[in-house]
Amino acid sequence: EPEVTQTPSHQVTQMGQEVILRCVPISNHLYFYWYRQILGQKVEFLVSFYNNEISEKSEIFDDQFSVERPDGSNFTLKIRSTKLEDSAMYFCASSPGTPVQETQYFGPGTRLLVL
Amino acid sequence: AQSVTQPDIHITVSEGASLELRCNYSYGATPYLFWYVQSPGQGLQLLLKYFSGDTLVQGIKGFEAEFKRSQSSFNLRKPSVHWSDAAEYFCAVGAYGGATNKLIFGTGTLLAVQP
């Protein structure tokens, strides 16, 4: 069964450094998402991406964050200057497309630790 | 505003006992509801979903959930719990605007299974 994959599984970085989290969505899916889960808190929506542009973003997704689909298979989340509070599990998800009821399929996550 | 409440942070049941995890939602229109499970070190796996039709939905691993509009609830049930069901369970509602279908998650219920 096709699945969403994410790399790396764990990343440790120093505050102020840039990190890039990578995702390979399920092929032929059209919508892509990033969510995060701070330890002990709920999973929160960050951003959705469709047709090579951001469809929606949350208030969390400020100027330090960016997303890109550099080729036909990868979907990346870049955090430009990491802060301690960016430490979290980051989940990538994809869905086939409209109608809106389409299921989102999640990857295993990247655990980011900012020191 | 859309929201999901899972009143039980932590539940412990004995193996073979029945299980019910509670979920209440707040959403202005017809809700699209989901239950996901997160095993330790794993990503979010879809258990089941409700879009319309029969209010009792069946999912994987022997789980079912019942949508009750009058109570704004979507409780997850399993008649006989197995040790492998120990995990964290998240209820989510699909919130749709424009071309996206982001998910709004509850805080999760951590299930422990006693032998």
Side-chain angles (χ1 to χ4, degrees):
Chain A
E1 184 176 329
E3 57 184 24
V4 177
T5 60
Q6 290 184 243
T7 53
S9 58
H10 294 78
Q11 178 140 12
V12 181
T13 190
Q14 296 292 322
M15 188 170 56
Q17 295 297 303
E18 175 182 287
V19 296
I20 298 176
L21 310 183
R22 291 182 167 81
C23 169
V24 179
I26 295 172
S27 100
N28 81 354
H29 280 194
L30 301 177
Y31 289 80
F32 314 109
Y33 309 83
W34 284 101
Y35 291 79
R36 79 173 185 188
Q37 183 184 27
I38 295 172
L39 190 63
Q41 299 185 22
K42 63 173 69 177
V43 176
E44 304 172 287
F45 168 79
L46 289 178
V47 66
S48 58
F49 191 86
Y50 169 71
N51 200 25
N52 282 319
E53 60 183 25
I54 290 174
S55 301
E56 186 174 1
K57 59 184 181 180
S58 72
E59 61 276 8
I60 302 168
F61 194 88
D62 60 23
D63 291 343
Q64 69 165 146
F65 292 93
S66 62
V67 289
E68 191 178 32
R69 188 154 163 82
D71 52 43
S73 59
N74 290 283
F75 180 51
T76 62
L77 174 68
K78 182 190 291 186
I79 309 175
R80 254 178 285 280
S81 178
T82 51
K83 305 171 189 171
L84 296 177
E85 55 265 36
D86 294 328
S87 295
M89 178 75 92
Y90 288 81
F91 292 106
C92 173
S94 68
S95 64
T98 55
V100 293
Q101 305 97 314
E102 291 288 0
T103 298
Q104 294 183 25
Y105 295 86
F106 284 78
T110 293
R111 184 166 295 285
L112 176 66
L113 179 60
V114 182
L115 302 177
Chain B
Q2 307 100 335
S3 65
V4 175
T5 302
Q6 293 180 249
D8 304 305
I9 297 172
H10 188 273
I11 283 182
T12 300
V13 299
S14 298
E15 191 168 15
S18 64
L19 172 70
E20 182 169 26
L21 303 182
R22 295 183 290 166
C23 172
N24 293 97
Y25 67 88
S26 173
Y27 190 68
T30 301
Y32 301 104
L33 296 161
F34 306 81
W35 275 98
Y36 284 85
V37 60
Q38 183 181 26
S39 299
Q42 304 295 311
L44 297 165
Q45 181 183 22
L46 180 69
L47 282 177
L48 47 78
K49 61 188 178 184
Y50 171 78
F51 289 158
S52 64
D54 193 346
T55 56
L56 184 63
V57 293
Q58 303 296 321
I60 62 171
K61 305 184 180 186
F63 285 92
E64 66 178 27
E66 186 171 11
F67 170 61
K68 292 185 177 179
R69 184 185 298 276
S70 61
Q71 298 176 20
S72 298
S73 69
F74 188 56
N75 294 347
L76 182 72
R77 301 194 294 247
K78 186 170 184 178
S80 178
V81 170
H82 187 262
W83 64 266
S84 60
D85 293 325
E88 189 154 23
Y89 292 80
F90 293 93
C91 181
V93 64
Y96 305 117
T100 70
N101 57 338
K102 67 182 179 185
L103 296 177
I104 295 173
F105 286 85
T107 49
T109 297
L110 185 62
L111 174 67
V113 180
Q114 287 181 331

